[in-house]
């Protein structure tokens, strides 16, 4: 789902699931993640990061992305109980 920064703020999610795309390299995708409001939101809740190379198209890597997401969500859920 594509969401604007405003959409994310309105949704007030309990958990942020973010894609990692060449972190540290200039890109529009990373620029959105550096928005001050997103930065504030990241400090206030758990964040799960998945490399976009695993899920940006329908390949067998989707299984790895799904397993990574599952494992990270379980880890975060265990911390919040």
């Amino acid at each position: 789902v594509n969401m604007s920064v405003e959409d994310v703020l309105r949704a007030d999610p309990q958990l942020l699931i973010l894609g990692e795309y060449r972190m540290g390299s200039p890109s529009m995708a990373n620029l959105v993640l550096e928005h001050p409001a997103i930065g504030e939101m990241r400090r206030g809740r758990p964040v799960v990061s998945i490399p976009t190379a695993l899920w940006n198209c329908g390949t067998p890597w989707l299984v790895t992305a799904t397993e990574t997401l599952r494992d990270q969500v379980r880890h975060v859920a265990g911390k919040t109980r």
Side-chain angles (χ1 to χ4, degrees):
V1 171
N2 259 340
M3 297 179 77
S4 68
V5 171
E6 293 80 8
D7 291 336
V8 174
L9 295 173
R10 271 193 299 275
D12 193 29
Q14 295 176 346
L15 168 73
L16 288 175
I17 301 171
L18 304 174
E20 294 175 357
Y21 176 75
R22 297 181 184 168
M23 299 309 287
S25 298
S27 73
M28 292 301 289
N30 290 339
L31 188 60
V32 170
L33 298 178
E34 294 170 10
H35 190 284
I38 297 295
E40 184 67 30
M41 189 173 265
R42 290 176 84 148
R43 285 187 287 282
R45 68 204 72 225
V47 176
V48 172
S49 295
I50 305 292
T52 56
L54 296 178
W55 56 267
N56 64 353
C57 54
T59 70
W61 287 109
L62 283 172
V63 174
T64 302
T66 303
E67 292 170 344
T68 302
L69 179 58
R70 177 202 61 208
D71 294 345
Q72 288 194 31
V73 168
R74 284 181 179 168
H75 178 73
V76 167
K79 285 183 175 180
T80 59
R81 288 184 184 169

